[in-house]
């Protein structure tokens, strides 16, 4: 960022400038799938001593709330507590579409994290964990994987989105795309830590079978999302 | 190369100015401008090497194209007719002939699983063209992989760049995996038309979700577990050889 560099050069004479990190970011998230949806995606800049999630560790209650039902309330509260800068996309990000948000970050908030629930899944989410925000102006492209929060059994049948409520939330746009009457793909979740999602199984029976997920259309391979960050 | 072209125009213009100045200063002996001989064309060549990383997804003859602008596809956008023809049937001729193409090369044939092919494409006087590479995974309905409008500007002679390619879905044909819809050898019916102009899927390009196969419960699928794949599916190396 040219403007900042000049300020840095002057500031360095008096204060030292290595820590100056404030940035104006444009963050775009593209749903790379043809059949999965993302709930509102949180983009949050924070200091690198914090983390929204860690693979191999148990999800926080706030992360669970996001991964099982798409709610960002708990994560926003944490964001406020740690004086993070955050914003989120609105509504669902449909297959093949892109949403863009703007984010102004404070000096101390040097890393970017992003999360959003993947529908239809039980507790799948797209994740970016503590990506160092570049100090150089430019356009940066990142590819995100799908994670499993490890907090809910992947039974792949209709249910609720509240933490601890089994089954998948099915908001209106997905009402006709998700089946009914599945008996449940599994009743156990052996790995209860955050891990890479194993993908949906699904079945071809919209009114029964084991899964309410459509095996032809509601699967994915990683990466599941593309993020383009423009550092101004 | 646009830069060279502009530079050339500028030089000619400057020469004209000098000539007219000279002409104004001289008496009656008009200066004879010496026509600059056209510079010899400088060939710029790239060797594109693809290794098929899949288990049983042969790749259709590869389309390699150099272009100055544009792209061959965009995630979230409908596939062009040319891309649909390649992605559904493995025929690269329409992509090779896209209007934006400055130079092209075709692979010699199918690249089998585990196999590698190198293809050379050459263009004169342009060293910052965009490179696109496209090939179909033939045991799918409309799955393809490739490189989309990558700028070659950073490559000096002798430089190489390597990347890994994911699988895309053209979104133009439903992934039924049914007999008669797949041009590759997995479709034992032997009568798949490959490309059909009808579009019966989401009609936008995105990343492929993988094939399901009969082994994983898709009724009517002619595919089995051996045809499944994951990302990445191709290792691609670009080397500027001249």
């Amino acid at each position: 960022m040219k403007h900042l560099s000049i300020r840095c050069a002057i500031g360095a004479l008096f204060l030292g400038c290595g820590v100056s990190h404030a940035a104006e970011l444009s963050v775009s998230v593209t749903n790379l799938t043809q059949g999965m949806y993302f709930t509102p995606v949180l983009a949050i800049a924070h200091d690198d001593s914090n983390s929204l999630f860690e693979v191999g560790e148990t999800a926080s209650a706030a992360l669970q709330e996001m991964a099982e039902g798409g709610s960002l309330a708990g994560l926003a509260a944490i964001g406020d507590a740690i004086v993070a800068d955050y914003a989120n996309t609105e509504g669902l990000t449909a297959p093949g579409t892109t949403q863009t948000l703007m984010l102004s970050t404070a000096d101390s908030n040097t890393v970017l994290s992003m999360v959003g629930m993947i529908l239809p899944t039980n507790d799948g989410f797209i994740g970016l964990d503590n990506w160092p925000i570049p100090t150089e102006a430019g356009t940066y492209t990142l590819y995100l994987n799908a994670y499993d929060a490890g907090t809910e059994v992947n039974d792949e049948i209709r249910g609720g989105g509240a933490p601890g409520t089994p089954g998948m939330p099915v908001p209106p746009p997905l009402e006709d795309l998700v089946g009914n009457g599945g008996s449940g793909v599994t009743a156990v979740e052996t790995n209860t830590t955050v891990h890479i999602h194993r993908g949906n199984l699904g079945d071809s029976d919209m009114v029964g079978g084991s899964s309410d997920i459509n095996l032809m259309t509601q699967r994915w391979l990683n990466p599941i999302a593309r993020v383009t960050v423009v550092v101004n | 190369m646009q830069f060279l072209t502009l530079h050339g125009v500028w030089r000619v213009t400057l020469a004209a100015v000098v000539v007219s100045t000279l002409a104004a200063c001289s008496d009656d002996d008009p200066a004879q401008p010496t026509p600059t001989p056209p510079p010899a064309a400088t060939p710029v060549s790239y060797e594109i090497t693809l290794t098929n990383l899949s288990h049983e997804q042969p790749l259709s003859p590869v389309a390699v194209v150099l272009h100055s602008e544009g792209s061959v596809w965009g995630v979230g956008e409908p596939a062009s007719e040319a891309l649909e023809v390649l992605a559904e049937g493995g025929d690269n001729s329409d992509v090779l002939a896209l209007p934006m193409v400055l130079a092209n090369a075709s692979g010699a044939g199918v690249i089998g699983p585990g196999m590698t092919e190198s293809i050379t494409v050459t263009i004169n006087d342009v060293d910052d063209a965009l490179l696109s590479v496209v090939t179909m995974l033939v045991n799918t309905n409309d799955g393809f992989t490739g490189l989309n409008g990558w700028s070659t500007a950073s490559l000096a002679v002798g430089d190489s760049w390597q990347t890994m390619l994911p699988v895309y879905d053209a979104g133009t044909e439903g992934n039924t995996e049914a007999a008669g819809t797949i041009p590759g050898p997995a479709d034992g019916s032997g009568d798949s038309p490959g490309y059909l102009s009808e579009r019966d899927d989401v009609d936008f390009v995105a990343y492929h979700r993988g094939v399901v196969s009969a082994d994983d419960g898709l009724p009517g699928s002619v595919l089995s577990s051996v045809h499944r794949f994951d990302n990445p599916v191709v290792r691609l190396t670009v080397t500027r050889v001249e």
Side-chain angles (χ1 to χ4, degrees):
Chain A
M1 184 186 291
K2 270 179 193 158
H3 181 67
L4 264 193
S5 301
I6 292 166
R7 221 163 61 189
C8 280
I10 297 166
L13 295 174
F14 306 101
L15 303 168
C17 196
V19 295
S20 183
H21 224 90
E24 297 292 327
L25 307 180
S26 159
V27 180
S28 298
V29 57
T30 299
N31 181 338
L32 294 175
T33 75
Q34 290 181 331
M36 308 301 295
Y37 291 73
F38 303 157
T39 63
V41 178
L42 176 72
I44 178 167
H46 53 91
D47 73 86
D48 64 3
S49 68
N50 289 294
S51 181
L52 294 196
F53 66 95
E54 278 306 337
V55 288
E57 293 184 10
T58 304
S60 67
L63 191 82
Q64 177 180 5
E65 190 177 286
M66 179 280 302
E68 294 186 14
S71 167
L72 297 176
L75 291 171
I78 291 175
D80 291 336
I82 63 173
V83 202
D85 300 303
Y86 60 86
N88 60 267
T89 61
E90 299 293 330
L92 297 181
T93 302
T97 66
T98 299
Q99 291 210 48
T100 301
L101 56 81
M102 306 302 290
L103 194 58
S104 299
T105 67
D107 285 359
S108 54
N109 292 330
T110 56
V111 299
L112 179 69
S113 294
M114 295 176 69
V115 290
M117 184 189 182
I118 303 164
L119 291 172
T121 69
N122 287 90
D123 59 341
F125 67 96
I126 64 168
L128 176 66
D129 178 27
N130 289 30
W131 179 68
I133 299 167
T135 51
E136 194 172 330
T139 300
Y140 301 85
T141 303
L142 311 167
Y143 289 88
L144 307 193
N145 290 323
Y147 294 88
D148 187 310
T151 57
E152 182 174 308
V153 170
N154 290 5
D155 59 13
E156 301 191 1
I157 55 176
R158 285 175 184 256
T165 305
M168 309 178 295
V170 182
L174 284 125
E175 180 58 37
D176 295 337
L177 304 174
V178 172
N180 285 280
S183 59
V185 164
T186 179
V188 292
E189 184 83 3
T190 312
N191 185 347
T192 56
T193 66
V194 176
H195 55 277
I196 291 288
H197 201 290
R198 60 188 178 270
N200 282 345
L201 186 63
D203 66 22
S204 58
D205 188 343
M206 288 291 278
V207 291
S210 61
S211 174
D212 289 340
I213 286 172
N214 184 318
L215 91 171
M216 272 183 69
T217 56
Q218 291 160 350
R219 290 183 170 199
W220 71 88
L221 299 175
N222 285 323
I224 192 168
R226 180 174 62 210
V227 169
T228 306
V229 179
V230 180
V231 180
N232 292 303
Chain B
M1 182 200 286
Q2 279 188 326
F3 177 74
L4 265 189
T5 310
L6 285 175
H7 186 65
V9 167
W10 182 81
R11 248 184 11 202
V12 168
T13 311
L14 184 66
V17 170
V18 171
V19 166
S20 59
T21 309
L22 283 175
C25 292
S26 67
D27 305 321
D28 50 3
D29 186 15
Q32 291 294 319
T34 311
T36 313
T42 307
V44 174
S45 292
Y46 301 96
E47 184 184 70
I48 319 298
T49 301
L50 299 93
T51 299
N52 182 341
L53 306 178
S54 75
H55 179 262
E56 202 164 316
Q57 286 289 346
L59 300 172
S60 68
V62 178
V64 175
V65 295
L66 292 170
H67 45 109
S68 61
E69 58 181 12
S71 54
V72 180
W73 70 89
V75 168
E77 296 168 18
S80 68
E81 184 94 3
L83 181 67
E84 181 183 4
V85 167
L86 189 151
E88 293 184 10
D91 176 358
N92 66 12
S93 52
D94 287 4
V95 170
L96 293 171
L98 283 171
M100 67 183 176
V101 170
L102 302 173
N104 66 35
S106 174
V110 167
I111 306 176
M115 305 301 285
T116 295
E117 184 184 10
S118 291
I119 303 157
T120 300
V121 63
T122 301
I123 188 169
N124 284 331
D125 301 328
V126 176
D127 64 1
D128 62 352
L130 303 176
L131 171 67
S132 292
V133 177
V134 200
T135 176
M136 179 190 185
L137 280 68
V138 300
N139 286 326
T140 67
N141 288 94
D142 59 343
F144 70 97
T145 185
L147 183 70
N148 192 19
W150 181 76
S151 172
T152 59
S154 63
L155 288 187
V157 175
D159 286 352
S160 285
W161 173 77
Q162 188 172 87
T163 191
M164 305 291 262
L165 304 179
V167 184
Y168 298 86
D169 187 313
T172 56
E173 178 180 327
N175 292 1
T176 61
E177 305 177 12
T181 69
I182 288 175
D187 188 346
S189 70
D191 60 0
S192 164
Y195 165 69
L196 288 173
S197 60
E198 175 201 11
R199 297 194 175 195
D200 61 357
D201 200 3
V202 294
D203 202 15
F204 62 82
V205 178
Y207 277 42
H208 205 290
R209 57 191 171 273
V211 293
V212 180
S213 84
D215 287 338
D216 207 15
L218 180 60
S221 173
V222 296
L223 305 180
S224 70
S225 66
V226 301
H227 303 110
R228 293 167 60 84
F229 54 82
D230 202 347
N231 292 325
V233 76
V234 162
R235 183 183 64 197
L236 179 142
T237 309
V238 182
T239 303
R240 183 172 167 192
V241 292
E242 67 176 324

